[in-house]
Amino acid sequence: MDKIVIEGGHPLAGEIRISGAKNAALPLIAATLLTPGVHTLHNVPDLRDTRTMLLLLETFGVVWEKSGKNTLKINSTNLSGHEASYDLVKTMRASVLVLGPLVARMGRAKVSLPGGCAIGARPINFHTLGLQKLGAEINLEKGYVDVFIDDRLQGDTIYFDIPSVTGTENLLMAAVLAKGTTTIKNAAREPEVGNLIDMLVAMGARIEGRDTARLVVHGVDRLTPADISIIPDRIETGTYLIAVGAAGGEVRLTHCEPSFLPALCEKLKAAGLHLEEEDQSILVRSGTSLQSVDIKTMVYPGFPTDLQAQMMALMTLTDGTSVITETIFENRFMHVAELQRMGAMIKVDGSSAIVRGNSKDEGLHGAQVMATDLRASASLVVAGLAAKGKTEISRIYHLERGYENLVEKLSGVGAKICRKKDI
Ligand code: EPZ
């Protein structure tokens, strides 16, 4: 396994090009299952998770090729299977996104239950309850969810207790080929859901209510292949904005969408960063001092849970106290113990973490730390950029799931960061 080594204390300067969004690419790749033909997806990030999703589709008979650095041609004409094995699903719970399109296209899907992960139990009951509402039979046995319908799905009204992102995406993909109309109430409004809706509409689906919590899908009999671009990754964008706040300096992020980060941009300005949001780019400059701000993660457009760990790393560098409350997942403070090893003063109290900035004392110091999940590893990179001395981050396969060329992008703006063999 490899590790990342960072020598902290070097301000950043230059430009970083933002990649396509992991959490849009995954549902959009899955949506190619809905119809025969060759789909074209542009701005697809080359990540461990997108490679896993493509591998999963190959087991169903899908063939694909790269045409250009981040463009994929995906041919799902001949589907020969409908089972997603535990070996693949255990590495990426977003594999559950094949449920909706497979049942809509083939009337059958068998997917290993994803199981929990570092940040929580991650159940999929909203997905299965929704499919059941559309007429599918659901059998849970031997760790698999087996979904079956001997005719077409039948439109109905679905209500989500929690606006689940992949739950909304799965049910959208199931409903577009159902008979009749499906209404999804309390739907997720994340930009990645909007990107999926744009793809489905481009394929011939009829969907009303984009960007709202009430989606209405009028089922159609057939769809045609899509030619669509993946939206910029707002979590990657936010991670690099926070990194500049931690390391200091001035960086322009290009090929991004500032409007996808309303909560983060407000919080970073309140913390003292200077942001200039332009069309498709953000110029970020660190301030003379960092102010502590309180954070409460919420569904979109609230503060994203996927930026909570990175923001916590930044708040350890202030000279105040910040309260960070995680409301989406039950165990998303795995990064705290690792940040504490770098000298951070954080106290977890239930779903809140009290972060006492120690810029006046010795600040953070480099250490050997371990990545536990995707965004926790990003927070360790942010901390390493600011810490005095050398930080070594092991188990960086977590990081490679969701950040394209992170080491190259950061070293390209002056960070002293490299990958090494972790012997
Ligand atoms: C998506 O996960 C993202 N993943 C996550 O990003 C992100 O953190 C999350 O949305 C919240 O924004 C992808 O899009 C691939 P949820 P998802 O269903 O859809 C509970 C990253 O780092 N719930 O919106 O799985 C659930 O336990 C990843 O890129 C149920 O109880 O999240 C959680 O508490 C991490 N039953 C809450 O709802 C269900 O059937 C929100 O989960 C589904 C969810």
Side-chain angles (χ1 to χ4, degrees), residues 22-23 26 93-94 97 119 121-127 162-167 169 190 234 305-306 328-330 332 374-375:
K22 166 180 85 81
N23 290 348
L26 296 176
R93 67 175 311 283
L97 282 165
I119 64 177
R122 311 293 296 275
I124 59 166
N125 54 313
F126 301 154
H127 302 238
I162 297 173
S164 163
V165 175
T166 51
E169 291 164 347
E190 275 68 4
R234 61 191 168 98
T305 175
D306 293 347
I328 306 293
F329 291 108
E330 66 268 30
R332 202 166 199 175
L374 170 55
R375 306 306 175 180

PDB file of all heavy atoms in Angstrom, residues 22-23 26 93-94 97 119 121-127 162-167 169 190 234 305-306 328-330 332 374-375, ligand 1:
ATOM      1  N   LYS A  22     -17.613  12.875  -8.499  1.00  0.00           N
ATOM      2  CA  LYS A  22     -17.735  11.432  -8.248  1.00  0.00           C
ATOM      3  C   LYS A  22     -19.209  11.065  -8.026  1.00  0.00           C
ATOM      4  O   LYS A  22     -19.715  10.097  -8.607  1.00  0.00           O
ATOM      5  CB  LYS A  22     -16.942  11.039  -7.002  1.00  0.00           C
ATOM      6  CG  LYS A  22     -17.254   9.651  -6.453  1.00  0.00           C
ATOM      7  CD  LYS A  22     -16.457   9.293  -5.228  1.00  0.00           C
ATOM      8  CE  LYS A  22     -17.064   9.796  -3.954  1.00  0.00           C
ATOM      9  NZ  LYS A  22     -18.163   8.957  -3.406  1.00  0.00           N
ATOM     10  N   ASN A  23     -19.907  11.869  -7.215  1.00  0.00           N
ATOM     11  CA  ASN A  23     -21.268  11.502  -6.813  1.00  0.00           C
ATOM     12  C   ASN A  23     -22.330  11.836  -7.852  1.00  0.00           C
ATOM     13  O   ASN A  23     -23.510  11.596  -7.627  1.00  0.00           O
ATOM     14  CB  ASN A  23     -21.599  12.129  -5.458  1.00  0.00           C
ATOM     15  CG  ASN A  23     -20.810  11.475  -4.337  1.00  0.00           C
ATOM     16  OD1 ASN A  23     -20.192  10.423  -4.548  1.00  0.00           O
ATOM     17  ND2 ASN A  23     -20.783  12.097  -3.184  1.00  0.00           N
ATOM     18  N   LEU A  26     -21.234   8.377 -10.626  1.00  0.00           N
ATOM     19  CA  LEU A  26     -21.691   7.036 -10.234  1.00  0.00           C
ATOM     20  C   LEU A  26     -23.150   6.781 -10.645  1.00  0.00           C
ATOM     21  O   LEU A  26     -23.428   5.786 -11.324  1.00  0.00           O
ATOM     22  CB  LEU A  26     -21.465   6.815  -8.736  1.00  0.00           C
ATOM     23  CG  LEU A  26     -19.985   6.829  -8.319  1.00  0.00           C
ATOM     24  CD1 LEU A  26     -19.845   6.703  -6.807  1.00  0.00           C
ATOM     25  CD2 LEU A  26     -19.198   5.730  -9.012  1.00  0.00           C
ATOM     26  N   ARG A  93     -20.413   1.110  -1.632  1.00  0.00           N
ATOM     27  CA  ARG A  93     -21.847   0.968  -1.369  1.00  0.00           C
ATOM     28  C   ARG A  93     -22.693   1.627  -2.422  1.00  0.00           C
ATOM     29  O   ARG A  93     -23.859   1.301  -2.601  1.00  0.00           O
ATOM     30  CB  ARG A  93     -22.201   1.470   0.008  1.00  0.00           C
ATOM     31  CG  ARG A  93     -22.050   2.945   0.209  1.00  0.00           C
ATOM     32  CD  ARG A  93     -22.535   3.337   1.564  1.00  0.00           C
ATOM     33  NE  ARG A  93     -23.841   2.788   1.850  1.00  0.00           N
ATOM     34  CZ  ARG A  93     -24.977   3.266   1.351  1.00  0.00           C
ATOM     35  NH1 ARG A  93     -24.939   4.243   0.496  1.00  0.00           N
ATOM     36  NH2 ARG A  93     -26.130   2.728   1.671  1.00  0.00           N
ATOM     37  N   ALA A  94     -22.134   2.537  -3.213  1.00  0.00           N
ATOM     38  CA  ALA A  94     -22.921   3.182  -4.285  1.00  0.00           C
ATOM     39  C   ALA A  94     -23.288   2.176  -5.367  1.00  0.00           C
ATOM     40  O   ALA A  94     -24.060   2.488  -6.283  1.00  0.00           O
ATOM     41  CB  ALA A  94     -22.131   4.334  -4.877  1.00  0.00           C
ATOM     42  N   LEU A  97     -26.806   1.614  -6.603  1.00  0.00           N
ATOM     43  CA  LEU A  97     -27.444   2.437  -7.644  1.00  0.00           C
ATOM     44  C   LEU A  97     -27.812   1.628  -8.890  1.00  0.00           C
ATOM     45  O   LEU A  97     -28.484   2.142  -9.784  1.00  0.00           O
ATOM     46  CB  LEU A  97     -26.515   3.591  -8.039  1.00  0.00           C
ATOM     47  CG  LEU A  97     -26.486   4.762  -7.067  1.00  0.00           C
ATOM     48  CD1 LEU A  97     -25.293   5.665  -7.340  1.00  0.00           C
ATOM     49  CD2 LEU A  97     -27.789   5.550  -7.129  1.00  0.00           C
ATOM     50  N   ILE A 119     -18.457   5.375   8.326  1.00  0.00           N
ATOM     51  CA  ILE A 119     -19.205   6.551   8.817  1.00  0.00           C
ATOM     52  C   ILE A 119     -20.600   6.210   9.310  1.00  0.00           C
ATOM     53  O   ILE A 119     -21.292   7.067   9.834  1.00  0.00           O
ATOM     54  CB  ILE A 119     -19.267   7.659   7.741  1.00  0.00           C
ATOM     55  CG1 ILE A 119     -20.034   7.200   6.510  1.00  0.00           C
ATOM     56  CG2 ILE A 119     -17.885   8.112   7.357  1.00  0.00           C
ATOM     57  CD1 ILE A 119     -20.169   8.308   5.457  1.00  0.00           C
ATOM     58  N   ALA A 121     -24.119   2.998   9.553  1.00  0.00           N
ATOM     59  CA  ALA A 121     -24.748   1.724   9.164  1.00  0.00           C
ATOM     60  C   ALA A 121     -25.142   1.724   7.695  1.00  0.00           C
ATOM     61  O   ALA A 121     -25.133   0.713   7.022  1.00  0.00           O
ATOM     62  CB  ALA A 121     -25.983   1.495  10.030  1.00  0.00           C
ATOM     63  N   ARG A 122     -25.503   2.854   7.192  1.00  0.00           N
ATOM     64  CA  ARG A 122     -25.807   3.071   5.771  1.00  0.00           C
ATOM     65  C   ARG A 122     -26.903   2.110   5.265  1.00  0.00           C
ATOM     66  O   ARG A 122     -26.705   1.364   4.311  1.00  0.00           O
ATOM     67  CB  ARG A 122     -24.569   2.939   4.898  1.00  0.00           C
ATOM     68  CG  ARG A 122     -23.357   3.703   5.356  1.00  0.00           C
ATOM     69  CD  ARG A 122     -23.475   5.200   5.306  1.00  0.00           C
ATOM     70  NE  ARG A 122     -23.645   5.750   3.989  1.00  0.00           N
ATOM     71  CZ  ARG A 122     -22.662   6.040   3.143  1.00  0.00           C
ATOM     72  NH1 ARG A 122     -21.437   5.756   3.488  1.00  0.00           N
ATOM     73  NH2 ARG A 122     -22.917   6.567   1.966  1.00  0.00           N
ATOM     74  N   PRO A 123     -28.070   2.023   5.908  1.00  0.00           N
ATOM     75  CA  PRO A 123     -29.136   1.135   5.421  1.00  0.00           C
ATOM     76  C   PRO A 123     -29.657   1.559   4.048  1.00  0.00           C
ATOM     77  O   PRO A 123     -29.386   2.683   3.598  1.00  0.00           O
ATOM     78  CB  PRO A 123     -30.225   1.299   6.481  1.00  0.00           C
ATOM     79  CG  PRO A 123     -29.975   2.632   7.083  1.00  0.00           C
ATOM     80  CD  PRO A 123     -28.498   2.836   7.054  1.00  0.00           C
ATOM     81  N   ILE A 124     -30.396   0.669   3.378  1.00  0.00           N
ATOM     82  CA  ILE A 124     -30.988   1.036   2.078  1.00  0.00           C
ATOM     83  C   ILE A 124     -32.497   0.801   2.093  1.00  0.00           C
ATOM     84  O   ILE A 124     -33.112   0.551   1.054  1.00  0.00           O
ATOM     85  CB  ILE A 124     -30.322   0.264   0.913  1.00  0.00           C
ATOM     86  CG1 ILE A 124     -30.477  -1.250   1.098  1.00  0.00           C
ATOM     87  CG2 ILE A 124     -28.867   0.662   0.740  1.00  0.00           C
ATOM     88  CD1 ILE A 124     -30.134  -2.038  -0.170  1.00  0.00           C
ATOM     89  N   ASN A 125     -33.086   0.917   3.273  1.00  0.00           N
ATOM     90  CA  ASN A 125     -34.523   0.640   3.383  1.00  0.00           C
ATOM     91  C   ASN A 125     -35.381   1.582   2.548  1.00  0.00           C
ATOM     92  O   ASN A 125     -36.407   1.181   1.988  1.00  0.00           O
ATOM     93  CB  ASN A 125     -34.965   0.666   4.849  1.00  0.00           C
ATOM     94  CG  ASN A 125     -34.585   1.973   5.546  1.00  0.00           C
ATOM     95  OD1 ASN A 125     -33.456   2.439   5.422  1.00  0.00           O
ATOM     96  ND2 ASN A 125     -35.526   2.567   6.254  1.00  0.00           N
ATOM     97  N   PHE A 126     -34.963   2.845   2.404  1.00  0.00           N
ATOM     98  CA  PHE A 126     -35.766   3.773   1.584  1.00  0.00           C
ATOM     99  C   PHE A 126     -35.749   3.320   0.114  1.00  0.00           C
ATOM    100  O   PHE A 126     -36.726   3.466  -0.616  1.00  0.00           O
ATOM    101  CB  PHE A 126     -35.233   5.202   1.666  1.00  0.00           C
ATOM    102  CG  PHE A 126     -35.211   5.778   3.062  1.00  0.00           C
ATOM    103  CD1 PHE A 126     -34.318   6.779   3.390  1.00  0.00           C
ATOM    104  CD2 PHE A 126     -36.072   5.315   4.046  1.00  0.00           C
ATOM    105  CE1 PHE A 126     -34.278   7.312   4.674  1.00  0.00           C
ATOM    106  CE2 PHE A 126     -36.049   5.840   5.330  1.00  0.00           C
ATOM    107  CZ  PHE A 126     -35.150   6.842   5.640  1.00  0.00           C
ATOM    108  N   HIS A 127     -34.614   2.773  -0.316  1.00  0.00           N
ATOM    109  CA  HIS A 127     -34.527   2.291  -1.701  1.00  0.00           C
ATOM    110  C   HIS A 127     -35.519   1.137  -1.911  1.00  0.00           C
ATOM    111  O   HIS A 127     -36.294   1.146  -2.870  1.00  0.00           O
ATOM    112  CB  HIS A 127     -33.112   1.775  -2.000  1.00  0.00           C
ATOM    113  CG  HIS A 127     -32.007   2.764  -1.804  1.00  0.00           C
ATOM    114  ND1 HIS A 127     -31.127   3.124  -2.800  1.00  0.00           N
ATOM    115  CD2 HIS A 127     -31.599   3.451  -0.705  1.00  0.00           C
ATOM    116  CE1 HIS A 127     -30.256   4.004  -2.340  1.00  0.00           C
ATOM    117  NE2 HIS A 127     -30.515   4.210  -1.066  1.00  0.00           N
ATOM    118  N   ILE A 162     -36.174  10.584   5.105  1.00  0.00           N
ATOM    119  CA  ILE A 162     -34.967  11.427   5.017  1.00  0.00           C
ATOM    120  C   ILE A 162     -34.692  11.617   3.528  1.00  0.00           C
ATOM    121  O   ILE A 162     -34.796  10.654   2.767  1.00  0.00           O
ATOM    122  CB  ILE A 162     -33.756  10.711   5.684  1.00  0.00           C
ATOM    123  CG1 ILE A 162     -34.012  10.493   7.185  1.00  0.00           C
ATOM    124  CG2 ILE A 162     -32.466  11.505   5.480  1.00  0.00           C
ATOM    125  CD1 ILE A 162     -32.933   9.650   7.868  1.00  0.00           C
ATOM    126  N   PRO A 163     -34.367  12.812   3.052  1.00  0.00           N
ATOM    127  CA  PRO A 163     -34.139  13.007   1.611  1.00  0.00           C
ATOM    128  C   PRO A 163     -32.853  12.313   1.168  1.00  0.00           C
ATOM    129  O   PRO A 163     -31.823  12.954   0.954  1.00  0.00           O
ATOM    130  CB  PRO A 163     -34.069  14.520   1.453  1.00  0.00           C
ATOM    131  CG  PRO A 163     -33.703  15.042   2.779  1.00  0.00           C
ATOM    132  CD  PRO A 163     -34.232  14.081   3.793  1.00  0.00           C
ATOM    133  N   SER A 164     -32.934  10.993   1.010  1.00  0.00           N
ATOM    134  CA  SER A 164     -31.760  10.202   0.646  1.00  0.00           C
ATOM    135  C   SER A 164     -31.291  10.523  -0.768  1.00  0.00           C
ATOM    136  O   SER A 164     -32.080  10.498  -1.719  1.00  0.00           O
ATOM    137  CB  SER A 164     -32.121   8.705   0.728  1.00  0.00           C
ATOM    138  OG  SER A 164     -31.179   7.931   0.029  1.00  0.00           O
ATOM    139  N   VAL A 165     -30.001  10.802  -0.941  1.00  0.00           N
ATOM    140  CA  VAL A 165     -29.465  11.162  -2.263  1.00  0.00           C
ATOM    141  C   VAL A 165     -29.538   9.976  -3.213  1.00  0.00           C
ATOM    142  O   VAL A 165     -30.207  10.022  -4.255  1.00  0.00           O
ATOM    143  CB  VAL A 165     -28.020  11.680  -2.129  1.00  0.00           C
ATOM    144  CG1 VAL A 165     -27.404  11.954  -3.505  1.00  0.00           C
ATOM    145  CG2 VAL A 165     -27.988  12.951  -1.282  1.00  0.00           C
ATOM    146  N   THR A 166     -28.888   8.861  -2.864  1.00  0.00           N
ATOM    147  CA  THR A 166     -28.923   7.712  -3.787  1.00  0.00           C
ATOM    148  C   THR A 166     -30.302   7.056  -3.787  1.00  0.00           C
ATOM    149  O   THR A 166     -30.702   6.442  -4.782  1.00  0.00           O
ATOM    150  CB  THR A 166     -27.857   6.667  -3.404  1.00  0.00           C
ATOM    151  OG1 THR A 166     -27.972   6.355  -2.017  1.00  0.00           O
ATOM    152  CG2 THR A 166     -26.461   7.160  -3.716  1.00  0.00           C
ATOM    153  N   GLY A 167     -31.049   7.235  -2.690  1.00  0.00           N
ATOM    154  CA  GLY A 167     -32.430   6.719  -2.693  1.00  0.00           C
ATOM    155  C   GLY A 167     -33.254   7.437  -3.737  1.00  0.00           C
ATOM    156  O   GLY A 167     -33.963   6.807  -4.545  1.00  0.00           O
ATOM    157  N   GLU A 169     -32.090   8.973  -6.369  1.00  0.00           N
ATOM    158  CA  GLU A 169     -31.540   8.621  -7.689  1.00  0.00           C
ATOM    159  C   GLU A 169     -32.006   7.250  -8.143  1.00  0.00           C
ATOM    160  O   GLU A 169     -32.408   7.061  -9.296  1.00  0.00           O
ATOM    161  CB  GLU A 169     -30.000   8.699  -7.623  1.00  0.00           C
ATOM    162  CG  GLU A 169     -29.494  10.128  -7.461  1.00  0.00           C
ATOM    163  CD  GLU A 169     -28.052  10.225  -7.009  1.00  0.00           C
ATOM    164  OE1 GLU A 169     -27.456   9.199  -6.564  1.00  0.00           O
ATOM    165  OE2 GLU A 169     -27.493  11.342  -7.088  1.00  0.00           O
ATOM    166  N   GLU A 190     -29.715  17.649  -4.023  1.00  0.00           N
ATOM    167  CA  GLU A 190     -28.294  17.856  -4.336  1.00  0.00           C
ATOM    168  C   GLU A 190     -28.085  18.081  -5.835  1.00  0.00           C
ATOM    169  O   GLU A 190     -28.810  17.488  -6.655  1.00  0.00           O
ATOM    170  CB  GLU A 190     -27.481  16.660  -3.851  1.00  0.00           C
ATOM    171  CG  GLU A 190     -27.048  16.725  -2.380  1.00  0.00           C
ATOM    172  CD  GLU A 190     -28.186  16.604  -1.365  1.00  0.00           C
ATOM    173  OE1 GLU A 190     -29.340  16.390  -1.787  1.00  0.00           O
ATOM    174  OE2 GLU A 190     -27.932  16.724  -0.172  1.00  0.00           O
ATOM    175  N   ARG A 234     -18.303  19.400  -6.435  1.00  0.00           N
ATOM    176  CA  ARG A 234     -18.388  20.478  -5.427  1.00  0.00           C
ATOM    177  C   ARG A 234     -17.632  20.128  -4.149  1.00  0.00           C
ATOM    178  O   ARG A 234     -17.154  21.005  -3.433  1.00  0.00           O
ATOM    179  CB  ARG A 234     -19.845  20.812  -5.100  1.00  0.00           C
ATOM    180  CG  ARG A 234     -20.635  19.664  -4.513  1.00  0.00           C
ATOM    181  CD  ARG A 234     -22.120  19.968  -4.467  1.00  0.00           C
ATOM    182  NE  ARG A 234     -22.863  18.748  -4.168  1.00  0.00           N
ATOM    183  CZ  ARG A 234     -23.296  18.405  -2.948  1.00  0.00           C
ATOM    184  NH1 ARG A 234     -23.140  19.243  -1.940  1.00  0.00           N
ATOM    185  NH2 ARG A 234     -23.929  17.269  -2.747  1.00  0.00           N
ATOM    186  N   THR A 305     -22.199  17.382   4.577  1.00  0.00           N
ATOM    187  CA  THR A 305     -21.521  16.454   5.492  1.00  0.00           C
ATOM    188  C   THR A 305     -20.175  16.020   4.925  1.00  0.00           C
ATOM    189  O   THR A 305     -19.227  15.761   5.664  1.00  0.00           O
ATOM    190  CB  THR A 305     -22.398  15.223   5.776  1.00  0.00           C
ATOM    191  OG1 THR A 305     -21.665  14.287   6.565  1.00  0.00           O
ATOM    192  CG2 THR A 305     -22.863  14.536   4.500  1.00  0.00           C
ATOM    193  N   ASP A 306     -20.047  15.992   3.598  1.00  0.00           N
ATOM    194  CA  ASP A 306     -18.799  15.532   2.963  1.00  0.00           C
ATOM    195  C   ASP A 306     -17.673  16.542   3.084  1.00  0.00           C
ATOM    196  O   ASP A 306     -16.548  16.258   2.679  1.00  0.00           O
ATOM    197  CB  ASP A 306     -19.038  15.217   1.480  1.00  0.00           C
ATOM    198  CG  ASP A 306     -19.944  14.019   1.296  1.00  0.00           C
ATOM    199  OD1 ASP A 306     -20.183  13.305   2.295  1.00  0.00           O
ATOM    200  OD2 ASP A 306     -20.437  13.811   0.185  1.00  0.00           O
ATOM    201  N   ILE A 328     -26.066  14.152   9.643  1.00  0.00           N
ATOM    202  CA  ILE A 328     -26.436  13.215   8.578  1.00  0.00           C
ATOM    203  C   ILE A 328     -26.025  11.781   8.911  1.00  0.00           C
ATOM    204  O   ILE A 328     -26.812  10.849   8.772  1.00  0.00           O
ATOM    205  CB  ILE A 328     -25.805  13.626   7.219  1.00  0.00           C
ATOM    206  CG1 ILE A 328     -26.163  15.079   6.889  1.00  0.00           C
ATOM    207  CG2 ILE A 328     -26.216  12.659   6.116  1.00  0.00           C
ATOM    208  CD1 ILE A 328     -27.619  15.339   6.607  1.00  0.00           C
ATOM    209  N   PHE A 329     -24.790  11.572   9.354  1.00  0.00           N
ATOM    210  CA  PHE A 329     -24.298  10.221   9.657  1.00  0.00           C
ATOM    211  C   PHE A 329     -23.967  10.095  11.136  1.00  0.00           C
ATOM    212  O   PHE A 329     -23.572  11.069  11.786  1.00  0.00           O
ATOM    213  CB  PHE A 329     -23.057   9.894   8.805  1.00  0.00           C
ATOM    214  CG  PHE A 329     -23.367   9.736   7.350  1.00  0.00           C
ATOM    215  CD1 PHE A 329     -22.973  10.693   6.432  1.00  0.00           C
ATOM    216  CD2 PHE A 329     -24.093   8.632   6.893  1.00  0.00           C
ATOM    217  CE1 PHE A 329     -23.279  10.563   5.090  1.00  0.00           C
ATOM    218  CE2 PHE A 329     -24.402   8.495   5.552  1.00  0.00           C
ATOM    219  CZ  PHE A 329     -23.990   9.467   4.648  1.00  0.00           C
ATOM    220  N   GLU A 330     -24.094   8.860  11.622  1.00  0.00           N
ATOM    221  CA  GLU A 330     -23.977   8.654  13.076  1.00  0.00           C
ATOM    222  C   GLU A 330     -22.540   8.467  13.546  1.00  0.00           C
ATOM    223  O   GLU A 330     -22.270   8.457  14.731  1.00  0.00           O
ATOM    224  CB  GLU A 330     -24.825   7.463  13.527  1.00  0.00           C
ATOM    225  CG  GLU A 330     -24.395   6.088  13.007  1.00  0.00           C
ATOM    226  CD  GLU A 330     -25.093   5.695  11.715  1.00  0.00           C
ATOM    227  OE1 GLU A 330     -25.434   6.614  10.939  1.00  0.00           O
ATOM    228  OE2 GLU A 330     -25.236   4.492  11.475  1.00  0.00           O
ATOM    229  N   ARG A 332     -19.372   9.983  11.991  1.00  0.00           N
ATOM    230  CA  ARG A 332     -18.496  10.650  11.018  1.00  0.00           C
ATOM    231  C   ARG A 332     -17.459  11.535  11.710  1.00  0.00           C
ATOM    232  O   ARG A 332     -17.137  12.619  11.239  1.00  0.00           O
ATOM    233  CB  ARG A 332     -19.322  11.446  10.000  1.00  0.00           C
ATOM    234  CG  ARG A 332     -18.496  11.657   8.736  1.00  0.00           C
ATOM    235  CD  ARG A 332     -19.303  12.119   7.548  1.00  0.00           C
ATOM    236  NE  ARG A 332     -18.532  11.864   6.330  1.00  0.00           N
ATOM    237  CZ  ARG A 332     -18.973  12.068   5.104  1.00  0.00           C
ATOM    238  NH1 ARG A 332     -20.194  12.535   4.909  1.00  0.00           N
ATOM    239  NH2 ARG A 332     -18.212  11.783   4.061  1.00  0.00           N
ATOM    240  N   LEU A 374     -12.983   8.166   3.072  1.00  0.00           N
ATOM    241  CA  LEU A 374     -12.636   9.111   2.010  1.00  0.00           C
ATOM    242  C   LEU A 374     -12.449  10.534   2.510  1.00  0.00           C
ATOM    243  O   LEU A 374     -11.398  11.157   2.308  1.00  0.00           O
ATOM    244  CB  LEU A 374     -13.724   9.058   0.924  1.00  0.00           C
ATOM    245  CG  LEU A 374     -13.694  10.122  -0.162  1.00  0.00           C
ATOM    246  CD1 LEU A 374     -12.360  10.164  -0.868  1.00  0.00           C
ATOM    247  CD2 LEU A 374     -14.831   9.896  -1.136  1.00  0.00           C
ATOM    248  N   ARG A 375     -13.406  11.077   3.188  1.00  0.00           N
ATOM    249  CA  ARG A 375     -13.319  12.507   3.528  1.00  0.00           C
ATOM    250  C   ARG A 375     -12.452  12.724   4.771  1.00  0.00           C
ATOM    251  O   ARG A 375     -11.838  13.778   4.905  1.00  0.00           O
ATOM    252  CB  ARG A 375     -14.715  13.091   3.730  1.00  0.00           C
ATOM    253  CG  ARG A 375     -15.647  12.867   2.554  1.00  0.00           C
ATOM    254  CD  ARG A 375     -15.087  13.357   1.226  1.00  0.00           C
ATOM    255  NE  ARG A 375     -15.987  13.008   0.129  1.00  0.00           N
ATOM    256  CZ  ARG A 375     -15.792  13.280  -1.149  1.00  0.00           C
ATOM    257  NH1 ARG A 375     -14.698  13.884  -1.495  1.00  0.00           N
ATOM    258  NH2 ARG A 375     -16.641  12.924  -2.064  1.00  0.00           N
TER     259      ARG A 375
HETATM  260  C1  EPZ B   1     -24.708  10.132  -0.716  1.00  0.00           C
HETATM  261  O1  EPZ B   1     -24.709   8.952   0.060  1.00  0.00           O
HETATM  262  C2  EPZ B   1     -23.254  10.391  -1.075  1.00  0.00           C
HETATM  263  N1  EPZ B   1     -22.737   9.278  -1.871  1.00  0.00           N
HETATM  264  C3  EPZ B   1     -22.431  10.556   0.205  1.00  0.00           C
HETATM  265  O2  EPZ B   1     -21.093  10.876  -0.181  1.00  0.00           O
HETATM  266  C4  EPZ B   1     -23.004  11.725   1.001  1.00  0.00           C
HETATM  267  O3  EPZ B   1     -22.308  11.853   2.213  1.00  0.00           O
HETATM  268  C5  EPZ B   1     -24.489  11.471   1.285  1.00  0.00           C
HETATM  269  O4  EPZ B   1     -25.196  11.249   0.047  1.00  0.00           O
HETATM  270  C6  EPZ B   1     -25.143  12.644   2.000  1.00  0.00           C
HETATM  271  O5  EPZ B   1     -25.015  13.788   1.223  1.00  0.00           O
HETATM  272  C7  EPZ B   1     -23.070   9.220  -3.184  1.00  0.00           C
HETATM  273  O6  EPZ B   1     -23.788  10.054  -3.714  1.00  0.00           O
HETATM  274  C8  EPZ B   1     -22.503   8.067  -3.951  1.00  0.00           C
HETATM  275  P1  EPZ B   1     -28.137   9.319   1.991  1.00  0.00           P
HETATM  276  P2  EPZ B   1     -26.121   8.224   0.397  1.00  0.00           P
HETATM  277  O7  EPZ B   1     -28.941   8.162   1.487  1.00  0.00           O
HETATM  278  O8  EPZ B   1     -27.072   8.415  -0.722  1.00  0.00           O
HETATM  279  C9  EPZ B   1     -29.918   7.434   5.958  1.00  0.00           C
HETATM  280  C10 EPZ B   1     -18.753  10.705  -0.156  1.00  0.00           C
HETATM  281  O9  EPZ B   1     -17.916  10.940   0.723  1.00  0.00           O
HETATM  282  N2  EPZ B   1     -30.565   6.459   5.058  1.00  0.00           N
HETATM  283  O10 EPZ B   1     -28.485  10.692   1.534  1.00  0.00           O
HETATM  284  O11 EPZ B   1     -25.806   6.842   0.825  1.00  0.00           O
HETATM  285  C11 EPZ B   1     -28.403   7.297   5.959  1.00  0.00           C
HETATM  286  O12 EPZ B   1     -27.974   6.305   6.883  1.00  0.00           O
HETATM  287  C12 EPZ B   1     -20.032   9.972   0.203  1.00  0.00           C
HETATM  288  O13 EPZ B   1     -18.636  11.038  -1.357  1.00  0.00           O
HETATM  289  C13 EPZ B   1     -31.435   5.532   5.596  1.00  0.00           C
HETATM  290  O14 EPZ B   1     -31.666   5.485   6.805  1.00  0.00           O
HETATM  291  O15 EPZ B   1     -26.612   9.057   1.636  1.00  0.00           O
HETATM  292  C14 EPZ B   1     -27.946   8.689   6.349  1.00  0.00           C
HETATM  293  O16 EPZ B   1     -28.019   8.809   7.749  1.00  0.00           O
HETATM  294  C15 EPZ B   1     -20.073   9.570   1.667  1.00  0.00           C
HETATM  295  N3  EPZ B   1     -32.034   4.634   4.760  1.00  0.00           N
HETATM  296  C16 EPZ B   1     -29.011   9.596   5.708  1.00  0.00           C
HETATM  297  O17 EPZ B   1     -30.142   8.740   5.442  1.00  0.00           O
HETATM  298  C17 EPZ B   1     -31.800   4.648   3.399  1.00  0.00           C
HETATM  299  O18 EPZ B   1     -32.396   3.813   2.671  1.00  0.00           O
HETATM  300  C18 EPZ B   1     -28.584  10.249   4.397  1.00  0.00           C
HETATM  301  O19 EPZ B   1     -28.095   9.224   3.592  1.00  0.00           O
HETATM  302  C19 EPZ B   1     -30.888   5.588   2.877  1.00  0.00           C
HETATM  303  C20 EPZ B   1     -30.300   6.495   3.724  1.00  0.00           C
END
